[in-house]
């Protein structure tokens, strides 16, 4: 496979609303990100994926865009954006923009026009259907944010499709004019020198609503090939698609370099392993660790040489992993955060760090729906209340899976509002910010930040981390995840104790030469009888 810069990169996701406020209005902004670039450069990341900063009425916090070529005033100006690209570039960091083109905001001029009537020139930019024969919904498609995916438009007597909120009407990708407009917009950004695109719910652009097909529609890959040819194919950039329903077979369609589509996709199979099959994400079950390992191994082996993995535990839609599958108590937060980091960063693929992950930020449970901002959680709450569900049970689901968990402001230091803002934060901080923050973590001998720094360094210094072959050992072990990476005659062994109790690893056939990295002092060297402490994660060089 031809080597590209993004194969050996580490990406850091910034959720701008919650990263750093520079003017005291309680909302993070572009100038705030510029102030923190030195911090990110010190961490060692190569790329920033910036969640949307475009003009938006914020029904879904920027994922509902009313102008793709304007910066939302609360985040700054186009000049600020250009400065951010330039300042990042000076530090060898590239800016990857969020591309949200499955839908626009209902306040986008295209939709405002389209709503004017059936014969408007922009009508066909969106997906309209007549009512069913009984006058009801065109069909039973549901919105990801609860309720039907169809909204009635009084003016024209038709319904429009919205797979997300009513304020996020779906674009009609079948219309070549829609695609043309999107290519122009993408080229506008590419010409500004950005480092690529993260493509929001890109697997839905080929939908066939009349056949109830939403993801992986028949024309999806044609559109992506056309997109590649007309836009980023002429640039050396990173493109990553958000594809909730991808299997390894499907992921190869996107990321096999011969097909000229995307660099890689986010697949979510591991993320759903604490959910009941075929139920909404709110209906959880205990994580099956054997299954978790099998999923990672499947993706590592099946994409090998024919595609590329993106590696992540966290993003702005997913609760904090250290709280959900690790242990965020005072005793084990630090070691378990480092365990997850080690687990992921030694795998083959491009790792993504979500802001605050590098200092072990945790979930923020709430006791009332009033404390929640996220539209997905709020809609689900009201829907289930109407169905007669117990409010406490609903809140428990929100505390476990809700998106606000990862959207709380970044915890920089122990001063008021954690150094995030001098004003009133748009969303309350995690109450533990005085203990868990960048400044405090930094001073610690066992800093999580420094552990991430080392992992990133290892990737830079050892081709083995980027290109080495992956092999899992002990797939049936109920507590340990053990894998090897080998490259040019060198082999590293990664031994992970996933749980909060001690474990023993016995491997008389292998010999450790040295310890490359551990989340504890004095980790054992005798692989024939290795005692592992709670959440211990060690990387060995084998002899
Ligand atoms: C993606 C985004 C999410 C957003 C949704 C609709 O899943 O990551 O935050 O709500 O798409 O745009
Ligand atoms: Ca601000």
């Amino acid at each position: 496979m031809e080597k590209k810069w993004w194969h050996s990169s580490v990406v850091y996701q910034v959720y701008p609303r919650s990263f750093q406020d520079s003017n005291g209005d309680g909302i993070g902004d572009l100038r705030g990100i510029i102030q923190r670039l030195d911090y990110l450069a010190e961490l060692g990341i190569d790329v920033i994926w910036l969640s949307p900063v475009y003009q938006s009425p914020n029904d879904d916090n920027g994922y509902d865009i009313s102008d793709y070529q304007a910066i939302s005033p609360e985040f700054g100006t186009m000049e600020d954006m250009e400065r951010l690209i330039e300042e990042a570039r000076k530090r060898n960091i590239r800016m990857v923009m969020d591309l949200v083109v499955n839908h626009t905001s209902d306040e986008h001029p295209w939709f405002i026009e389209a709503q004017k009537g059936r014969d408007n020139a922009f009508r066909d930019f969106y997906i309209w259907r007549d009512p069913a024969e009984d006058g009801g919904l065109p069909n039973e498609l549901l919105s990801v944010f609860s309720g039907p995916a169809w909204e009635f438009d009084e003016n024209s007597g038709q319904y429009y499709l919205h797979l997300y909120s009513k304020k996020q009407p779906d674009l009609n990708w079948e219309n070549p004019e829609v695609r043309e407009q999107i290519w122009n917009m993408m080229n506008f950004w590419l010409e500004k020198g950005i480092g690529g695109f993260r493509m929001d719910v890109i697997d839905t652009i080929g939908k066939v609503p009349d056949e109830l097909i939403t993801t992986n529609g028949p024309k999806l890959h044609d559109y992506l090939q056309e997109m590649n040819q007309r836009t980023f194919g002429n640039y050396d950039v990173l493109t990553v698609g958000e594809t909730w329903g991808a299997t390894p077979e499907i992921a190869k369609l996107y990321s096999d370099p011969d097909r000229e589509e995307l660099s890689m996709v986010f697949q979510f199979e591991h993320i759903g392993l604490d959910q009941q099959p075929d139920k909404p994400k709110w209906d959880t079950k205990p994580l099956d660790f054997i299954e978790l390992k099998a999923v990672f191994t499947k993706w590592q082996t099946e994409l090998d040489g024919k595609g590329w993995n993106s590696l992540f535990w966290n993003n702005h839609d997913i609760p904090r992993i250290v709280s959900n599958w690790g242990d965020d108590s005072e005793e084990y937060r630090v070691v378990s955060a480092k365990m997850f980091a080690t687990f992921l960063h030694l795998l083959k693929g491009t790792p993504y760090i979500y802001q605050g992950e590098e200092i072990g930020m945790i979930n923020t449970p709430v006791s009332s729906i009033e404390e929640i901002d996220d539209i997905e959680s709020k809609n689900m709450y009201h829907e289930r209340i109407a169905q007669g569900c117990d409010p406490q049970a609903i809140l428990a689901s929100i505390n476990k899976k809700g998106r606000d968990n990862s959207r709380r402001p970044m915890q920089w230091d122990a001063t008021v509002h954690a150094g995030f803002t001098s004003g009133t934060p748009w969303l309350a901080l995690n109450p533990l910010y005085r203990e868990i923050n960048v400044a405090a973590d930094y001073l610690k001998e066992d800093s999580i930040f420094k552990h991430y720094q080392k992992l990133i360094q290892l990737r830079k210094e050892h081709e083995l981390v980027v290109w080495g072959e992956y092999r899992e050992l002990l797939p049936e072990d109920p507590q340990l995840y053990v894998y090897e990476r080998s490259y040019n005659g060198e082999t590293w062994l990664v031994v992970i104790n996933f749980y909060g109790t001690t474990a023993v690893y016995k491997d008389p056939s292998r010999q450790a030469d040295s310890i490359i990295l551990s989340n504890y002092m004095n980790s054992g060297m005798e692989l024939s009888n290795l005692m592992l402490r709670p959440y211990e994660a060690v990387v060995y060089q084998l002899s």
Side-chain angles (χ1 to χ4, degrees), residues 60 63 103 145 164 198 200-201 242 316-317 403 407:
D60 185 20
Y63 284 90
H103 45 265
F145 293 162
Y164 293 86
R198 174 270 184 183
D200 194 66
V201 293
E242 185 200 21
H316 65 294
D317 295 327
R403 306 195 295 182
R407 297 180 177 187

Side-chain angles (χ1 to χ4, degrees), residues 19-24 27-41 48 80 83-84 87-88 91 412 419-422:
F19 193 59
Q20 177 68 63
D21 178 21
S22 72
N23 62 354
I27 299 173
D29 46 51
L30 295 175
R31 290 180 180 208
I33 302 171
I34 295 172
Q35 289 168 14
R36 295 296 185 181
L37 282 174
D38 286 334
Y39 168 79
L40 296 176
I48 293 171
D80 294 333
R83 234 190 90 222
L84 173 57
E87 289 296 322
R91 295 164 178 83
W412 294 103
F420 163 68
T421 181
S422 57

